[in-house]
Amino acid sequence: MHKTTLPNGIRVITESMPHSNSTSIDLGIDVGSRHEPEPISGVSHFIEHLLFKGTENRPSPIKISETLERTGGILNAATEHESTIYWCKVIATEREKGLELLLDMVQNSLFNPKEIELERHVIIEEINSVNDFPNSRAEAILDELMWKGNSLGRDIAGNKSSVISMSRIDIIDFMKLHYTGNNIVCSVAGKLEHDQIVEIVERFTRSIDPGNKSHFPKISFDQCSPRHRYEYRDTEQVHMSLGFPGVNRQSPDRYPIDLLTAILGEGMSSRLFSELREKRGLVYDIGSEATHFHDTGAIHISAGLKKTEYLETIEVIFQEIERCMSDINQVELAKIKSLFAGRLQLRLEDTKFVSGWNISHELGHGDVLSPKNVLDLVKEVTLDDVIRVAHQY
Protein backbone atom coordinates (compact mmCIF):
# COMPACT_ATOMS: atom_id res chain seq x y z
CA MET A 1 0.00 0.00 0.00
CA HIS A 2 1.30 3.47 -0.96
CA LYS A 3 0.05 6.90 0.06
CA THR A 4 0.75 10.38 -1.31
CA THR A 5 -0.73 13.68 -0.10
CA LEU A 6 -1.10 16.28 -2.84
CA PRO A 7 -0.36 20.00 -2.23
CA ASN A 8 -4.09 20.74 -1.89
CA GLY A 9 -4.54 18.07 0.80
CA ILE A 10 -6.06 15.28 -1.30
CA ARG A 11 -4.79 11.90 -0.12
CA VAL A 12 -4.11 9.25 -2.78
CA ILE A 13 -3.84 5.65 -1.62
CA THR A 14 -3.10 2.72 -3.91
CA GLU A 15 -2.65 -1.00 -3.53
CA SER A 16 -1.24 -3.02 -6.38
CA MET A 17 -2.99 -6.31 -7.18
CA PRO A 18 -1.09 -7.22 -10.37
CA HIS A 19 -2.95 -10.44 -11.13
CA SER A 20 -6.38 -8.80 -11.09
CA ASN A 21 -8.23 -7.91 -14.29
CA SER A 22 -10.14 -5.12 -12.51
CA THR A 23 -9.35 -1.83 -10.86
CA SER A 24 -11.59 -0.39 -8.15
CA ILE A 25 -11.66 3.31 -7.30
CA ASP A 26 -13.19 4.86 -4.18
CA LEU A 27 -13.44 8.63 -3.91
CA GLY A 28 -14.31 9.47 -0.32
CA ILE A 29 -15.44 12.76 1.16
CA ASP A 30 -15.00 13.28 4.89
CA VAL A 31 -18.60 14.44 5.38
CA GLY A 32 -21.86 12.68 6.13
CA SER A 33 -25.17 13.13 7.89
CA ARG A 34 -23.45 13.80 11.24
CA HIS A 35 -22.07 17.08 9.90
CA GLU A 36 -25.42 18.50 8.83
CA PRO A 37 -27.39 21.27 10.58
CA GLU A 38 -30.84 19.89 11.42
CA PRO A 39 -32.80 22.19 9.04
CA ILE A 40 -30.93 20.70 6.06
CA SER A 41 -30.62 17.13 7.35
CA GLY A 42 -30.19 14.81 4.40
CA VAL A 43 -28.17 17.29 2.34
CA SER A 44 -25.13 14.95 2.02
CA HIS A 45 -27.38 12.23 0.63
CA PHE A 46 -29.12 14.75 -1.68
CA ILE A 47 -25.72 15.82 -3.08
CA GLU A 48 -24.78 12.18 -3.65
CA HIS A 49 -27.89 11.72 -5.81
CA LEU A 50 -27.38 14.95 -7.76
CA LEU A 51 -23.80 14.17 -8.73
CA PHE A 52 -25.17 11.46 -11.04
CA LYS A 53 -27.41 13.90 -12.90
CA GLY A 54 -24.89 15.52 -15.20
CA THR A 55 -21.73 17.61 -15.36
CA GLU A 56 -20.49 20.30 -17.73
CA ASN A 57 -18.65 17.58 -19.67
CA ARG A 58 -21.42 14.97 -19.41
CA PRO A 59 -24.67 16.97 -19.26
CA SER A 60 -27.15 14.14 -18.55
CA PRO A 61 -27.47 11.06 -16.31
CA ILE A 62 -27.10 8.74 -19.30
CA LYS A 63 -23.81 10.41 -20.26
CA ILE A 64 -22.56 9.73 -16.72
CA SER A 65 -23.60 6.08 -16.59
CA GLU A 66 -22.62 5.04 -20.11
CA THR A 67 -19.03 6.29 -19.63
CA LEU A 68 -18.16 3.11 -17.73
CA GLU A 69 -21.05 0.76 -18.44
CA ARG A 70 -20.15 0.47 -22.13
CA THR A 71 -17.06 -1.54 -21.06
CA GLY A 72 -18.79 -3.44 -18.24
CA GLY A 73 -17.89 -1.07 -15.42
CA ILE A 74 -19.97 -0.44 -12.29
CA LEU A 75 -20.63 3.01 -10.84
CA ASN A 76 -22.30 3.73 -7.50
CA ALA A 77 -22.14 5.75 -4.28
CA ALA A 78 -23.17 5.62 -0.62
CA THR A 79 -23.76 8.23 2.06
CA GLU A 80 -23.06 7.23 5.65
CA HIS A 81 -23.15 9.07 8.97
CA GLU A 82 -19.53 10.20 8.72
CA SER A 83 -18.56 10.01 5.04
CA THR A 84 -19.78 9.93 1.46
CA ILE A 85 -18.09 7.59 -1.00
CA TYR A 86 -18.36 7.52 -4.80
CA TRP A 87 -16.93 4.41 -6.39
CA CYS A 88 -16.48 2.47 -9.57
CA LYS A 89 -15.08 -0.89 -10.61
CA VAL A 90 -13.68 -1.14 -14.12
CA ILE A 91 -11.46 -3.33 -16.24
CA ALA A 92 -7.86 -2.33 -15.56
CA THR A 93 -7.36 -0.54 -18.89
CA GLU A 94 -10.24 1.85 -18.04
CA ARG A 95 -8.83 3.09 -14.72
CA GLU A 96 -7.97 6.59 -15.99
CA LYS A 97 -11.46 6.99 -17.40
CA GLY A 98 -12.95 5.87 -14.06
CA LEU A 99 -10.81 8.33 -12.11
CA GLU A 100 -11.60 11.18 -14.48
CA LEU A 101 -15.35 10.47 -14.26
CA LEU A 102 -15.50 10.48 -10.45
CA LEU A 103 -13.38 13.63 -10.23
CA ASP A 104 -15.55 15.30 -12.88
CA MET A 105 -18.68 14.49 -10.87
CA VAL A 106 -17.39 16.05 -7.64
CA GLN A 107 -16.12 19.21 -9.37
CA ASN A 108 -18.36 19.99 -12.32
CA SER A 109 -21.88 18.82 -11.50
CA LEU A 110 -24.59 21.10 -12.91
CA PHE A 111 -27.18 21.05 -10.10
CA ASN A 112 -29.83 21.70 -12.71
CA PRO A 113 -32.94 23.12 -10.94
CA LYS A 114 -35.22 20.73 -12.84
CA GLU A 115 -33.12 17.73 -11.82
CA ILE A 116 -33.12 18.93 -8.20
CA GLU A 117 -36.93 18.99 -8.16
CA LEU A 118 -37.17 15.55 -9.76
CA GLU A 119 -34.65 14.07 -7.33
CA ARG A 120 -36.39 15.69 -4.37
CA HIS A 121 -39.41 13.49 -5.09
CA VAL A 122 -37.22 10.42 -5.64
CA ILE A 123 -35.61 10.88 -2.20
CA ILE A 124 -39.00 11.34 -0.52
CA GLU A 125 -40.07 8.04 -2.07
CA GLU A 126 -36.83 6.49 -0.81
CA ILE A 127 -37.70 7.66 2.72
CA ASN A 128 -41.22 6.25 2.26
CA SER A 129 -39.82 2.91 1.09
CA VAL A 130 -37.69 2.56 4.24
CA ASN A 131 -40.79 3.07 6.35
CA ASP A 132 -42.58 0.38 4.34
CA PHE A 133 -40.13 -2.30 5.54
CA PRO A 134 -40.73 -3.16 9.21
CA ASN A 135 -37.14 -4.31 9.82
CA SER A 136 -35.77 -1.02 8.44
CA ARG A 137 -38.30 0.94 10.46
CA ALA A 138 -37.29 -0.92 13.64
CA GLU A 139 -33.64 0.00 13.03
CA ALA A 140 -34.57 3.65 12.46
CA ILE A 141 -36.56 3.73 15.70
CA LEU A 142 -33.59 2.26 17.56
CA ASP A 143 -31.30 5.01 16.24
CA GLU A 144 -33.81 7.65 17.34
CA LEU A 145 -33.94 6.10 20.82
CA MET A 146 -30.21 5.58 21.27
CA TRP A 147 -29.09 8.96 19.91
CA LYS A 148 -32.00 11.09 21.01
CA GLY A 149 -31.48 14.74 20.09
CA ASN A 150 -28.21 13.97 18.23
CA SER A 151 -27.39 13.82 14.53
CA LEU A 152 -26.70 10.06 14.73
CA GLY A 153 -30.37 9.60 15.58
CA ARG A 154 -31.54 11.12 12.30
CA ASP A 155 -32.15 9.23 9.06
CA ILE A 156 -29.18 9.65 6.71
CA ALA A 157 -31.63 10.68 3.98
CA GLY A 158 -33.16 13.36 6.21
CA ASN A 159 -36.91 13.72 6.61
CA LYS A 160 -39.68 14.82 4.28
CA SER A 161 -39.76 18.34 5.70
CA SER A 162 -36.00 18.95 5.34
CA VAL A 163 -35.87 17.45 1.84
CA ILE A 164 -38.85 19.52 0.66
CA SER A 165 -37.52 22.80 2.06
CA MET A 166 -33.86 22.41 1.05
CA SER A 167 -32.87 24.99 -1.58
CA ARG A 168 -30.36 24.77 -4.41
CA ILE A 169 -28.22 27.36 -2.59
CA ASP A 170 -28.29 25.24 0.61
CA ILE A 171 -27.02 22.25 -1.37
CA ILE A 172 -24.28 24.11 -3.24
CA ASP A 173 -23.07 25.98 -0.14
CA PHE A 174 -22.81 22.76 1.88
CA MET A 175 -20.87 21.09 -0.91
CA LYS A 176 -18.47 24.03 -1.30
CA LEU A 177 -17.78 23.96 2.43
CA HIS A 178 -16.97 20.25 2.66
CA TYR A 179 -15.89 18.98 -0.78
CA THR A 180 -12.39 20.38 -0.36
CA GLY A 181 -8.91 18.91 -0.66
CA ASN A 182 -8.37 18.22 3.03
CA ASN A 183 -11.60 16.19 3.11
CA ILE A 184 -10.96 14.08 -0.01
CA VAL A 185 -9.36 10.63 -0.18
CA CYS A 186 -8.88 8.69 -3.43
CA SER A 187 -8.25 4.97 -2.96
CA VAL A 188 -7.41 2.69 -5.90
CA ALA A 189 -6.75 -1.05 -5.91
CA GLY A 190 -5.93 -3.39 -8.78
CA LYS A 191 -3.49 -3.55 -11.66
CA LEU A 192 -1.80 -0.15 -11.36
CA GLU A 193 1.31 1.96 -10.80
CA HIS A 194 1.13 4.29 -7.79
CA ASP A 195 2.95 7.22 -9.41
CA GLN A 196 0.71 6.99 -12.46
CA ILE A 197 -2.45 7.17 -10.31
CA VAL A 198 -1.04 10.16 -8.38
CA GLU A 199 -0.28 11.96 -11.65
CA ILE A 200 -3.82 11.39 -12.95
CA VAL A 201 -5.48 12.57 -9.73
CA GLU A 202 -3.25 15.64 -9.51
CA ARG A 203 -3.92 16.53 -13.15
CA PHE A 204 -7.70 16.48 -12.67
CA THR A 205 -7.85 18.21 -9.25
CA ARG A 206 -5.59 21.25 -9.54
CA SER A 207 -8.56 23.60 -9.15
CA ILE A 208 -9.68 22.07 -5.81
CA ASP A 209 -8.83 24.27 -2.82
CA PRO A 210 -7.45 22.71 0.38
CA GLY A 211 -10.30 24.13 2.48
CA ASN A 212 -10.85 23.19 6.11
CA LYS A 213 -11.18 19.72 7.59
CA SER A 214 -14.71 18.78 8.59
CA HIS A 215 -15.27 18.51 12.34
CA PHE A 216 -17.70 16.22 14.12
CA PRO A 217 -20.39 17.76 16.32
CA LYS A 218 -20.24 16.44 19.86
CA ILE A 219 -22.52 13.51 20.65
CA SER A 220 -24.08 13.47 24.10
CA PHE A 221 -25.29 10.21 25.61
CA ASP A 222 -27.08 10.73 28.90
CA GLN A 223 -29.39 7.73 29.08
CA CYS A 224 -29.69 6.30 32.59
CA SER A 225 -32.59 3.84 32.21
CA PRO A 226 -33.92 1.54 29.46
CA ARG A 227 -35.84 3.09 26.59
CA HIS A 228 -38.26 1.34 24.29
CA ARG A 229 -40.74 2.23 21.58
CA TYR A 230 -43.05 0.23 19.37
CA GLU A 231 -45.25 0.74 16.34
CA TYR A 232 -48.10 -1.50 15.31
CA ARG A 233 -47.94 -3.07 11.84
CA ASP A 234 -50.19 -5.81 10.50
CA THR A 235 -47.29 -8.08 9.53
CA GLU A 236 -46.55 -11.79 9.77
CA GLN A 237 -43.53 -11.16 12.02
CA VAL A 238 -42.56 -8.82 14.82
CA HIS A 239 -39.36 -7.00 13.92
CA MET A 240 -37.09 -5.97 16.77
CA SER A 241 -33.86 -4.03 17.07
CA LEU A 242 -32.06 -3.94 20.40
CA GLY A 243 -29.11 -1.66 21.12
CA PHE A 244 -26.42 -0.93 23.69
CA PRO A 245 -23.89 1.93 23.65
CA GLY A 246 -20.51 0.78 22.32
CA VAL A 247 -17.08 2.28 21.59
CA ASN A 248 -15.35 4.43 18.99
CA ARG A 249 -12.97 3.18 16.30
CA GLN A 250 -9.83 3.92 18.33
CA SER A 251 -10.94 2.22 21.55
CA PRO A 252 -8.89 -0.74 22.85
CA ASP A 253 -12.23 -2.45 23.46
CA ARG A 254 -13.14 -2.39 19.76
CA TYR A 255 -11.94 -5.87 18.84
CA PRO A 256 -13.13 -7.60 22.03
CA ILE A 257 -16.60 -6.16 21.31
CA ASP A 258 -16.41 -7.26 17.66
CA LEU A 259 -15.60 -10.81 18.74
CA LEU A 260 -18.33 -10.75 21.39
CA THR A 261 -21.01 -9.70 18.90
CA ALA A 262 -19.75 -12.32 16.45
CA ILE A 263 -20.08 -15.05 19.10
CA LEU A 264 -23.62 -13.87 19.75
CA GLY A 265 -24.91 -13.37 16.25
CA GLU A 266 -22.47 -13.79 13.33
CA GLY A 267 -23.55 -16.60 11.03
CA MET A 268 -25.56 -19.78 11.36
CA SER A 269 -23.32 -21.26 14.06
CA SER A 270 -23.69 -18.24 16.37
CA ARG A 271 -25.39 -18.54 19.76
CA LEU A 272 -28.50 -16.56 18.93
CA PHE A 273 -29.10 -18.30 15.60
CA SER A 274 -28.48 -21.73 17.06
CA GLU A 275 -30.68 -21.23 20.14
CA LEU A 276 -33.57 -19.29 18.62
CA ARG A 277 -33.85 -20.76 15.13
CA GLU A 278 -32.26 -24.20 15.16
CA LYS A 279 -33.35 -25.33 18.63
CA ARG A 280 -36.62 -23.44 19.18
CA GLY A 281 -37.87 -22.36 15.74
CA LEU A 282 -38.78 -18.91 17.06
CA VAL A 283 -37.08 -16.78 14.38
CA TYR A 284 -36.23 -16.93 10.72
CA ASP A 285 -33.29 -14.54 10.93
CA ILE A 286 -31.32 -13.00 13.77
CA GLY A 287 -27.92 -11.34 14.04
CA SER A 288 -25.75 -8.94 15.99
CA GLU A 289 -23.03 -6.47 15.06
CA ALA A 290 -21.01 -3.58 16.42
CA THR A 291 -20.80 -0.14 14.83
CA HIS A 292 -17.86 2.17 15.55
CA PHE A 293 -17.97 5.91 14.89
CA HIS A 294 -15.39 8.66 15.37
CA ASP A 295 -16.18 9.19 19.05
CA THR A 296 -18.81 6.64 20.05
CA GLY A 297 -20.35 3.37 18.96
CA ALA A 298 -23.20 0.90 19.33
CA ILE A 299 -23.95 -2.80 19.66
CA HIS A 300 -27.02 -4.01 17.75
CA ILE A 301 -29.12 -7.17 17.82
CA SER A 302 -31.85 -7.43 15.17
CA ALA A 303 -34.40 -10.17 14.55
CA GLY A 304 -37.64 -11.08 12.87
CA LEU A 305 -39.69 -12.79 15.62
CA LYS A 306 -42.56 -15.25 15.54
CA LYS A 307 -45.64 -13.10 16.06
CA THR A 308 -47.38 -15.39 18.54
CA GLU A 309 -44.30 -15.94 20.69
CA TYR A 310 -42.29 -12.73 20.44
CA LEU A 311 -42.20 -12.12 24.21
CA GLU A 312 -40.65 -15.54 24.81
CA THR A 313 -38.13 -14.83 22.05
CA ILE A 314 -37.06 -11.54 23.64
CA GLU A 315 -36.62 -13.31 26.99
CA VAL A 316 -34.37 -15.93 25.37
CA ILE A 317 -32.30 -13.20 23.67
CA PHE A 318 -31.67 -11.59 27.05
CA GLN A 319 -30.81 -14.98 28.55
CA GLU A 320 -28.15 -15.42 25.85
CA ILE A 321 -26.80 -11.94 26.57
CA GLU A 322 -26.58 -12.81 30.28
CA ARG A 323 -24.92 -16.15 29.51
CA CYS A 324 -22.12 -14.54 27.49
CA MET A 325 -21.01 -12.64 30.60
CA SER A 326 -19.59 -15.83 32.09
CA ASP A 327 -20.08 -18.81 29.79
CA ILE A 328 -17.62 -18.29 26.94
CA ASN A 329 -14.67 -20.67 26.53
CA GLN A 330 -11.36 -20.71 24.71
CA VAL A 331 -12.60 -23.12 22.03
CA GLU A 332 -15.50 -20.81 21.16
CA LEU A 333 -13.25 -17.75 21.07
CA ALA A 334 -10.71 -19.53 18.86
CA LYS A 335 -13.49 -20.58 16.48
CA ILE A 336 -14.78 -17.02 16.07
CA LYS A 337 -11.24 -15.65 15.58
CA SER A 338 -10.75 -18.22 12.81
CA LEU A 339 -14.06 -17.18 11.20
CA PHE A 340 -13.02 -13.51 11.39
CA ALA A 341 -9.62 -14.20 9.81
CA GLY A 342 -10.97 -16.52 7.12
CA ARG A 343 -13.68 -14.15 5.92
CA LEU A 344 -11.25 -11.26 5.82
CA GLN A 345 -8.75 -13.25 3.75
CA LEU A 346 -11.44 -14.32 1.28
CA ARG A 347 -12.56 -10.73 0.76
CA LEU A 348 -9.00 -9.58 0.06
CA GLU A 349 -9.23 -11.20 -3.38
CA ASP A 350 -11.68 -8.48 -4.46
CA THR A 351 -10.26 -5.14 -5.64
CA LYS A 352 -13.43 -3.37 -4.45
CA PHE A 353 -13.00 -4.70 -0.93
CA VAL A 354 -9.31 -3.71 -0.82
CA SER A 355 -10.01 -0.21 -2.12
CA GLY A 356 -12.91 0.16 0.33
CA TRP A 357 -10.83 -1.17 3.23
CA ASN A 358 -8.08 1.39 2.62
CA ILE A 359 -10.41 4.35 2.25
CA SER A 360 -12.52 3.48 5.28
CA HIS A 361 -9.39 3.29 7.44
CA GLU A 362 -7.96 6.53 6.05
CA LEU A 363 -11.25 8.39 6.55
CA GLY A 364 -11.92 6.82 9.93
CA HIS A 365 -8.43 6.71 11.46
CA GLY A 366 -6.36 9.14 9.41
CA ASP A 367 -4.16 6.14 8.69
CA VAL A 368 -4.54 2.70 7.09
CA LEU A 369 -4.26 -0.41 9.20
CA SER A 370 -3.33 -3.37 7.03
CA PRO A 371 -5.42 -6.55 7.31
CA LYS A 372 -2.39 -8.18 8.97
CA ASN A 373 -2.31 -5.40 11.60
CA VAL A 374 -6.00 -5.95 12.33
CA LEU A 375 -5.65 -9.73 12.50
CA ASP A 376 -2.74 -9.31 14.94
CA LEU A 377 -4.94 -7.11 17.15
CA VAL A 378 -7.72 -9.70 16.99
CA LYS A 379 -5.30 -12.50 17.94
CA GLU A 380 -4.26 -10.54 21.04
CA VAL A 381 -7.82 -10.47 22.43
CA THR A 382 -8.11 -12.77 25.44
CA LEU A 383 -11.06 -14.62 26.92
CA ASP A 384 -10.94 -12.24 29.89
CA ASP A 385 -11.19 -9.29 27.49
CA VAL A 386 -14.37 -10.65 25.90
CA ILE A 387 -16.02 -11.45 29.24
CA ARG A 388 -15.05 -8.03 30.59
CA VAL A 389 -16.64 -6.12 27.71
CA ALA A 390 -19.75 -8.29 27.97
CA HIS A 391 -20.15 -7.09 31.57
CA GLN A 392 -19.20 -3.49 30.80
CA TYR A 393 -21.33 -2.88 27.73
Side-chain angles (χ1 to χ4, degrees):
M1 193 275 291
H2 298 278
K3 174 181 171 180
T4 297
T5 301
L6 301 182
N8 60 0
I10 294 175
R11 288 157 281 169
V12 182
I13 298 168
T14 68
E15 185 149 341
S16 176
M17 301 172 68
H19 301 295
S20 173
N21 292 320
S22 69
T23 297
S24 292
I25 304 163
D26 282 80
L27 189 66
I29 318 296
D30 219 348
V31 66
S33 61
R34 276 196 67 180
H35 301 90
E36 301 164 353
E38 190 167 2
I40 56 169
S41 62
V43 65
S44 299
H45 177 255
F46 209 146
I47 290 169
E48 177 220 309
H49 276 233
L50 293 173
L51 263 56
F52 287 81
K53 296 303 174 183
T55 70
E56 294 171 10
N57 304 312
R58 300 173 175 87
S60 69
I62 192 69
K63 293 291 185 184
I64 296 279
S65 57
E66 72 179 5
T67 300
L68 301 183
E69 286 184 357
R70 66 176 60 183
T71 55
I74 305 166
L75 175 67
N76 213 329
T79 305
E80 302 293 346
H81 289 98
E82 299 185 341
S83 64
T84 307
I85 295 177
Y86 304 87
W87 65 269
C88 65
K89 186 174 184 179
V90 296
I91 57 174
T93 54
E94 296 291 300
R95 57 181 172 267
E96 181 167 347
K97 190 176 289 184
L99 275 165
E100 189 271 328
L101 173 63
L102 293 179
L103 293 168
D104 184 32
M105 289 166 62
V106 300
Q107 293 180 87
N108 304 310
S109 284
L110 296 172
F111 295 101
N112 184 304
K114 182 180 177 181
E115 292 287 359
I116 290 175
E117 293 312 309
L118 287 172
E119 208 60 28
R120 199 187 303 276
H121 294 291
V122 170
I123 292 170
I124 288 171
E125 287 308 306
E126 184 178 347
I127 293 169
N128 288 337
S129 73
V130 169
N131 290 330
D132 280 346
F133 290 94
N135 57 332
S136 298
R137 181 63 189 138
E139 291 170 6
I141 291 171
L142 177 63
D143 286 342
E144 293 167 11
L145 282 172
M146 287 194 72
W147 313 112
K148 191 174 181 179
N150 294 299
S151 54
L152 284 177
R154 301 197 300 254
D155 191 314
I156 288 171
N159 57 67
K160 292 180 186 179
S161 175
S162 66
V163 172
I164 288 169
S165 63
M166 205 179 302
S167 72
R168 183 175 185 269
I169 295 299
D170 291 332
I171 293 167
I172 292 173
D173 285 349
F174 187 86
M175 186 173 179
K176 284 181 178 177
L177 180 64
H178 294 285
Y179 278 56
T180 56
N182 284 314
N183 287 325
I184 296 175
V185 177
C186 182
S187 172
V188 188
K191 193 179 291 185
L192 55 82
E193 298 282 343
H194 177 75
D195 291 344
Q196 183 184 56
I197 298 298
V198 171
E199 186 275 324
I200 295 168
V201 175
E202 187 167 25
R203 185 180 354 132
F204 289 121
T205 60
R206 287 178 183 139
S207 63
I208 294 180
D209 292 328
N212 296 314
K213 193 103 171 86
S214 298
H215 294 288
F216 292 102
K218 187 176 181 181
I219 294 293
S220 59
F221 190 88
D222 56 1
Q223 182 175 335
C224 55
S225 61
R227 293 174 180 165
H228 77 277
R229 201 167 105 209
Y230 67 89
E231 288 182 0
Y232 178 79
R233 298 285 179 93
D234 187 15
T235 57
E236 293 302 314
Q237 286 186 307
V238 172
H239 294 267
M240 182 201 75
S241 284
L242 173 69
F244 302 88
V247 298
N248 64 48
R249 284 186 288 265
Q250 309 289 353
S251 170
D253 285 344
R254 173 178 180 167
Y255 295 109
I257 284 178
D258 287 347
L259 292 171
L260 171 65
T261 57
I263 288 169
L264 271 173
E266 175 72 28
M268 292 188 291
S269 60
S270 66
R271 288 186 171 200
L272 290 172
F273 193 94
S274 177
E275 185 66 29
L276 287 153
R277 175 167 166 166
E278 301 297 350
K279 292 183 182 178
R280 300 174 186 253
L282 293 172
V283 303
Y284 172 71
D285 194 24
I286 187 167
S288 63
E289 63 177 357
T291 304
H292 308 287
F293 297 113
H294 170 73
D295 51 358
T296 188
I299 298 165
H300 299 279
I301 296 172
S302 298
L305 317 179
K306 195 172 181 179
K307 187 159 65 173
T308 56
E309 299 171 69
Y310 71 92
L311 289 175
E312 177 191 347
T313 308
I314 292 170
E315 288 178 7
V316 176
I317 289 170
F318 275 99
Q319 288 170 12
E320 288 302 311
I321 291 170
E322 290 281 340
R323 191 163 72 87
C324 75
M325 294 183 189
S326 57
D327 183 22
I328 295 176
N329 58 56
Q330 291 286 3
V331 172
E332 193 172 22
L333 179 59
K335 182 187 78 172
I336 215 68
K337 285 183 179 182
S338 178
L339 179 148
F340 190 99
R343 289 193 174 171
L344 176 55
Q345 288 165 12
L346 289 173
R347 290 168 181 160
L348 290 172
E349 295 178 350
D350 181 8
T351 58
K352 177 64 189 80
F353 179 82
V354 173
S355 178
W357 172 281
N358 289 340
I359 202 167
S360 65
H361 276 264
E362 181 65 30
L363 288 170
H365 298 265
D367 196 11
V368 178
L369 283 176
S370 72
K372 183 182 183 304
N373 293 149
V374 170
L375 289 177
D376 287 343
L377 290 169
V378 168
K379 286 177 184 177
E380 291 173 4
V381 175
T382 68
L383 187 60
D384 287 342
D385 291 331
V386 175
I387 293 172
R388 175 182 56 78
V389 298
H391 279 273
Q392 186 171 345
Y393 298 99

